[in-house]
Amino acid sequence: MTPIFVLGLQRSGTTWMANQLAALDSVAAVEAPEHRGVHESIYFSHFARAFGPWKRLESRVKFAQAFILSDYGQLLGLTPELLAADMRVAKGYADLFRIVMDRHARNAGAEAWVEKSPHHTLMYRHLSRDFPDAKFVLVHRRTEGMILSRLSGFGRTPTTGLKRYADITRAAVVNTLFGRYLKRLSRKPNCFYLSYEELHADDGELRTALLGFLGVRGSAEAMESLYQPNTSFDRAPRRPLGKMDRTVMVTAEVIAYAMPLSLLLAAHRLRGALRGIDWPDWCWQKTGYHPDTYGRGAAADQ
């Protein structure tokens, strides 16, 4: 099975891209209607880090309980017996993920599987090492569109005043740095870079090129998401950024272009060290377990 990882920031079109791939008979995905399509696994950013080194039995036991009870594990149909059998032959966290995802794809009659977690975007080096045959689809969105989506995303009421300018500054800096990072990755032979805007304007040529890169069966016409768009504007209308908003955004972008990319990676590592494992509240919705039940902050040997 060919592993496909979709990388990019939240609100940049990663779900839409993954949903289009999942619409193909040749590509399997873990999907949930409440997530409007492909469900994030946060496997490598969270599960593979939270419980300690794979070689420790205690780590594997805690991990197995958490992963089985997670929404992702439930959607995969994992049971204690099935996962225990998988873990007996797995060489580590990454190998186990491949085992369960390959089985999921085989059961779906697919030849590839797609995983989409924005938390994995800065983990390309580790993912490409653990999955040498993987293909990576890199999705980036222009800063203004991403900011507008973030301001109204997840049912939020857009902020105002100094808080709004702080949100715009932070989003512009992060999006610019991540955009530069993804552009650098685009030179890798196992990476395919596209923009949200190109995807919107595509008449089929871009998707056809993507399918050729991935080497999976299907057509551009078949890449039609089965889910409603995961838009930020269900409750808040889309309004363009004002003059002051744009001034703040452009200033932040200029600053971000002057920053070394190594700063992005260093900040990511520091944030992880300080905050530990920050579990999303949707991780265990189906079983009702609280994220604080499980490990926080312990780095694992992967």
Side-chain angles (χ1 to χ4, degrees):
M1 301 291 170
T2 301
I4 303 169
F5 292 97
V6 176
L7 304 181
L9 281 174
Q10 289 97 338
R11 315 312 311 166
S12 293
T14 54
T15 298
W16 184 32
M17 181 71 262
N19 285 349
Q20 290 183 74
L21 291 171
L24 298 169
D25 292 337
S26 57
V27 180
V30 175
E31 302 172 70
E34 61 271 25
H35 284 255
R36 297 191 183 183
V38 175
H39 195 296
E40 296 177 24
S41 76
I42 58 170
Y43 183 89
F44 300 95
S45 57
H46 290 64
F47 286 98
R49 293 180 54 235
F51 305 101
W54 178 265
K55 61 185 177 183
R56 293 183 192 163
L57 177 60
E58 181 184 7
S59 300
R60 298 197 301 274
V61 170
K62 290 180 178 179
F63 156 79
Q65 181 187 27
F67 192 49
I68 288 169
L69 292 173
S70 71
D71 284 18
Y72 203 82
Q74 295 287 301
L75 291 166
L76 278 169
L78 293 179
T79 64
E81 296 76 18
L82 183 60
L83 190 60
D86 293 338
M87 292 176 72
R88 281 195 289 270
V89 298
K91 299 179 179 67
Y93 288 109
D95 196 37
L96 178 68
F97 191 75
R98 175 138 207 172
I99 290 170
V100 298
M101 291 301 289
D102 279 0
R103 178 173 58 240
H104 181 64
R106 282 196 302 273
N107 291 343
E111 63 195 49
W113 49 261
V114 62
E115 194 282 335
K116 185 274 306 184
S117 292
H119 284 92
H120 293 162
T121 298
L122 294 181
M123 303 185 74
Y124 165 81
R125 183 169 62 87
H126 298 287
L127 293 173
S128 60
R129 177 199 66 196
D130 293 331
F131 299 86
D133 58 336
K135 300 294 180 70
F136 296 85
V137 182
L138 317 176
V139 185
H140 187 246
R141 187 175 189 175
R142 289 177 188 160
T143 300
E144 182 169 357
M146 192 273 282
I147 287 175
L148 286 168
S149 185
R150 280 198 172 191
L151 288 174
S152 301
F154 313 107
R156 300 176 184 137
T157 299
T159 52
T160 58
L162 292 178
K163 177 67 165 61
R164 179 182 181 87
Y165 298 143
D167 290 342
I168 290 172
T169 298
R170 182 168 52 251
V173 168
V174 169
N175 194 55
T176 301
L177 285 170
F178 270 73
R180 289 172 58 198
Y181 172 77
L182 293 173
K183 269 293 189 181
R184 177 177 291 183
L185 289 186
S186 70
R187 299 195 290 265
K188 306 284 187 181
N190 59 355
C191 293
F192 188 100
Y193 177 94
L194 55 87
S195 74
Y196 176 88
E197 292 76 22
E198 288 174 327
L199 203 52
H200 257 293
D202 181 41
D203 60 1
E205 184 177 350
L206 179 64
R207 291 172 177 82
T208 299
L210 175 61
L211 290 173
F213 165 79
L214 296 174
V216 296
R217 291 179 291 106
S219 65
E221 294 73 24
M223 293 176 65
E224 189 68 40
S225 174
L226 303 178
Y227 301 90
Q228 289 296 312
N230 188 13
T231 178
S232 298
F233 304 101
D234 286 336
R235 288 190 282 178
R238 178 189 292 268
R239 294 191 179 95
L241 292 178
K243 184 176 180 180
M244 187 60 186
D245 291 340
R246 289 186 56 80
T247 299
V248 171
M249 179 191 75
V250 172
T251 301
E253 286 180 310
V254 170
I255 292 171
Y257 272 113
M259 292 179 180
L261 275 181
S262 58
L263 184 64
L264 169 66
L265 300 175
H268 176 69
R269 288 192 293 269
L270 178 61
R271 181 179 182 274
L274 294 176
R275 294 186 62 175
I277 306 299
D278 190 10
W279 294 104
D281 57 8
W282 45 258
C283 192
W284 285 280
Q285 281 186 335
K286 292 182 180 297
T287 55
Y289 278 78
H290 193 277
D292 287 342
T293 305
Y294 304 109
R296 295 177 65 86
D301 296 335
Q302 296 187 43

